[in-house]
Amino acid sequence: MLSLTLKEAVHKLRDGSITAKDLCEKCIERLNKTQQLNAFITETVDVSRDSAAETDKRRRKSKPMRWRKLEGLPIAVKDNFCTTGIRTSCATTMLQNYIPPYTATVVQRLQDEGAYLIGKTNMDEFAMGSGSVDGIHGPVRNPWKYKFTSSNLENQQTKPIEQVSMRNYHTSTDDWHIAGGSSGGSAAAVASGVCFGALGSDTGGSTRNPAAYCGVVGFKPTYGMLSRHGLVPLVNSMDVPALFSKTVDDASILFNVMAGHDVHDSTTVTDEFNHFTLPDNMNIKDLHIGIPKEYHAPGLSKDVHNAWEEAADMFEKAGAKVTQVSLPHTQYSILCYIVLNCCEVASNMARYDGIEFGHRAANEDSTEELYAATRHEGFNDVVRGRILAGNYFLLRQNYEKYFAKAMQVRRLISEDFKKVYASGVDILLTPTTLTTAPTYKWFTERDNRTSSEEQDIFTQPVNMAGVPAISVPSKLSTDGLPIGLQFIGQNFKDKELLTIAKWYEQQVQFKQLNLDYLDNVS
Amino acid sequence: MLLTKLTCRLCFQRVSRNKNCFCSKVPKTPIWEEVDHTRIPNVPQIDQEMINHLERVSLVEFNNQAGIERLSKAIESANKLHMVNTDGIEPMESVLEDRMLYLREDKVTDGKCKQEVLSNAVKTIEDYFVAPPGNIPLKTKERDYGSNSNGS
């Protein structure tokens, strides 16, 4: 039942061949069996059971009620989206005690269509990272090639909540792979079958990167299509709510439920949103695919390169026009991203002072001392480092040299995309990441900044320009880990992007991870 | 570049003979410019005055030498931006710059949510947020982050 796609699950719930209760119990069982992945920060099992019961009750009502689009469907939400009455911690000490009095628009729209929350997922602290290893709840583990053990299962199930809520989380040095980040918990949850779709956020690749590493679809829509209201801000000019699913069709279904203007977010566009379903066939002959040559960057693994080449060749052999194109400023994009990210972070993090909400230190000597102590206790090294760097770049004597310079380079990057699309290219095909998921041991030997320079290399240029992009699983590498390829579309042509991604998905027939054997582990 | 063109041409010639031969558009080797270090400014020494200033405006501390090295590395990366010629380029603040920002009518749309607003504050008194006395400069602490932080 858990290997169904979202589309199939929705159909089966509608025609009554499965009950919401059965589905819910299955998901909770899988959630328990995969505890050691550490994908969830807060599990909302009671909410899930109540919602499932509600769905089954709707069915039994003598007077039929409107059957909603996602009726009875469990979804997971990254812990940086506000959820009324349910802690939203951003994996930081600063928000450990934060219970939002409102729900993020995108979450609300899913709930309004009958989906329910199965849990809030693990991430890097304040979404600053690319491995999902830098949160206070410890690292997320990639379910691919992970060795689940039954004794471990028992230990984990009895693990009290308090025990995991601390820094310096004990991590075994076993050779497991990271889930990618910063939305690694959501990616791992979908990949392991706990839920049929999940929300992540994508500022520089935080959804596409873990999607590639965990062998699922990760879709970052055009900036302005999905509301950021209720998403804890990181870099306002780049943050986009994004989603994980098993298939492109599933991503499309979730996107259609969430998209459109929101009065609470002035950066959502006011154009009327036309709902769509993706066609099963498309005429590939009219398609012009660009291969940006700069995306062959130093460090690209042989496996990923091969997958990229195979995909490009597949399109060409199927009759599409495939040409090599140039996005000349690609190499500088990551540098630009670092500067803009730190500057916006320095500004956004100024709100955390311990007075109105969040962690408050015990120091009551003065307001200034309270602020400093609160922020010292509340932020990890990575967050502090970005605040300090951001304030350095924003100093009066540095403002033009760094901040304004980075914004100029941002325009050049954005122009690169515009020019290539104006030349007749419909879509770009690139790798999502340099390699497959690295091991935890390898990853943690580097610092957060070095990591994100390598991890976000192919994903963040997209956020600079606001264009939509999707990572689709392509194949397994020689050592059995999933490889993701990225399609980059044109602004507000999300449907066209998804349609092409779906065609590719149909050709490769990527086999999802199947953890059904866990059902037999006692 | 020349080599790629050449192989492609060879490839095309062969296509006529053998239909299975095919020249992929994915480049075979990385195409990145070498970093020209002579064009990149040096990373300035981060002195004690700078440390104090940044800590004061940020209200967080560097903590240790590693914190200062982290800043140096970030500056080093940012300096590479100076390899890009941006003469006459307008800074880009938003990807929606060509659109009008949506403004709603100037009417109150919510309210009566005092309890919700106050519910997440650790300390409140009679519907007020509570802060200790303000406008008192931070106490100066004796700190030594190691070699880089020369006193000034």
Side-chain angles (χ1 to χ4, degrees), chain A residues 59-335:
Chain A
R59 169 175 302 288
R60 287 194 300 269
K61 282 255 169 78
S62 49
K63 199 169 143 229
M65 299 175 77
R66 183 174 85 88
W67 196 257
R68 297 173 293 181
K69 286 178 189 148
L70 305 173
E71 194 69 66
L73 195 84
I75 50 150
V77 172
K78 189 180 182 181
D79 209 23
N80 59 350
F81 286 95
C82 289
T83 41
T84 307
I86 298 163
R87 180 176 65 160
T88 297
S89 78
C90 276
T92 171
T93 305
M94 191 58 97
L95 291 175
Q96 246 346 347
N97 57 356
Y98 182 60
I99 315 280
Y102 70 110
T103 296
T105 302
V106 283
V107 178
Q108 190 63 55
R109 289 187 182 174
L110 292 173
Q111 287 174 339
D112 289 347
E113 283 301 335
Y116 62 83
L117 182 68
I118 191 159
K120 301 294 292 286
T121 57
N122 201 354
M123 54 188 281
D124 286 300
E125 181 160 334
F126 280 115
M128 294 187 210
S130 45
S132 296
V133 301
D134 277 328
I136 57 165
H137 303 278
V140 180
R141 294 158 191 225
N142 193 319
W144 285 85
K145 292 180 84 179
Y146 188 78
K147 294 180 199 77
F148 291 93
T149 53
S150 51
S151 62
N152 248 343
L153 287 176
E154 282 160 32
N155 287 341
Q156 296 279 330
Q157 270 167 21
T158 53
K159 178 179 66 181
I161 295 279
E162 298 346 295
Q163 210 178 308
V164 292
S165 305
M166 58 184 185
R167 289 202 193 280
N168 307 319
Y169 179 83
H170 172 75
T171 46
S172 88
T173 49
D174 290 347
D175 238 10
W176 48 272
H177 297 265
I178 62 160
S182 64
S183 318
S186 288
V190 173
S192 58
V194 176
C195 55
F196 295 89
L199 284 187
S201 58
D202 194 311
T203 305
S206 280
T207 290
R208 288 160 287 151
N209 171 295
Y213 284 170
C214 292
V216 294
V217 170
F219 173 43
K220 180 211 95 82
T222 305
Y223 184 93
M225 288 304 290
L226 296 186
S227 168
R228 294 184 292 117
H229 174 67
L231 167 65
V232 177
L234 175 65
V235 183
N236 304 55
S237 73
M238 297 180 210
D239 292 344
V240 175
L243 42 101
F244 293 96
S245 59
K246 293 175 193 169
T247 69
V248 177
D249 260 332
D250 291 356
S252 169
I253 292 169
L254 293 172
F255 174 68
N256 271 275
V257 167
M258 295 188 289
H261 179 64
D262 174 20
V263 288
H264 292 117
D265 177 4
S266 61
T267 58
T268 50
V269 296
T270 46
D271 309 358
E272 196 186 339
F273 176 69
N274 296 314
H275 292 262
F276 59 78
T277 47
L278 301 178
D280 287 324
N281 297 301
M282 72 168 294
N283 187 4
I284 212 80
K285 302 236 181 321
D286 297 336
L287 194 67
H288 185 177
I289 294 188
I291 306 293
K293 61 179 184 182
E294 290 82 4
Y295 280 66
H296 193 151
L300 185 71
S301 80
K302 200 165 184 299
D303 275 333
V304 176
H305 181 264
N306 288 346
W308 184 24
E309 200 170 69
E310 279 171 30
D313 297 353
M314 178 199 288
F315 275 103
E316 195 164 354
K317 284 171 183 160
K321 183 176 172 190
V322 179
T323 54
Q324 201 177 90
V325 297
S326 175
L327 299 169
H329 297 94
T330 301
Q331 156 175 11
Y332 304 102
S333 188
I334 189 72
L335 309 170

Side-chain angles (χ1 to χ4, degrees), chain B:
Chain B
M1 199 52 204
L2 189 71
L3 196 68
T4 340
K5 267 189 191 154
L6 203 67
T7 23
C8 262
R9 203 170 301 147
L10 284 174
C11 201
F12 274 123
Q13 282 169 0
R14 261 186 289 152
V15 170
S16 49
R17 267 176 271 147
N18 177 2
K19 280 205 165 120
N20 292 332
C21 177
F22 181 84
C23 189
S24 182
K25 302 302 174 291
V26 172
K28 295 273 179 234
T29 47
I31 299 181
W32 272 35
E33 270 177 56
E34 279 290 319
V35 174
D36 178 2
H37 287 276
T38 56
R39 289 178 62 186
I40 303 170
N42 289 330
V43 177
Q45 182 89 338
I46 299 159
D47 59 21
Q48 192 60 46
E49 198 185 342
M50 177 63 80
I51 291 170
N52 290 343
H53 181 67
L54 286 176
E55 289 188 339
R56 204 165 52 244
V57 296
S58 305
L59 284 168
V60 293
E61 291 168 18
F62 280 95
N63 261 13
N64 47 35
Q65 182 60 29
I68 293 165
E69 271 162 27
R70 194 172 289 133
L71 175 62
S72 297
K73 290 278 183 204
I75 298 169
E76 194 184 320
S77 288
N79 276 344
K80 290 187 205 146
L81 280 176
H82 293 280
M83 285 171 64
V84 185
N85 180 0
T86 54
D87 293 348
I89 305 290
E90 195 64 27
M92 181 177 181
E93 284 164 20
S94 161
V95 295
L96 300 175
E97 59 186 5
D98 53 347
R99 287 175 174 256
M100 293 283 282
L101 188 69
Y102 166 75
L103 295 174
R104 67 175 176 86
E105 247 186 281
D106 190 11
K107 271 199 298 200
V108 178
T109 53
D110 58 5
K112 298 199 173 74
C113 49
K114 190 169 67 188
Q115 269 335 101
E116 283 89 343
V117 170
L118 290 167
S119 63
N120 275 292
V122 171
K123 221 172 186 177
T124 55
I125 297 176
E126 293 175 2
D127 294 347
Y128 285 99
F129 295 116
V130 181
N135 292 325
I136 303 168
L138 282 177
K139 288 175 207 147
T140 20
K141 283 186 213 153
E142 282 298 314
R143 279 173 320 225
D144 184 11
Y145 292 143
S147 56
N148 258 6
S149 48
N150 316 326
S152 55

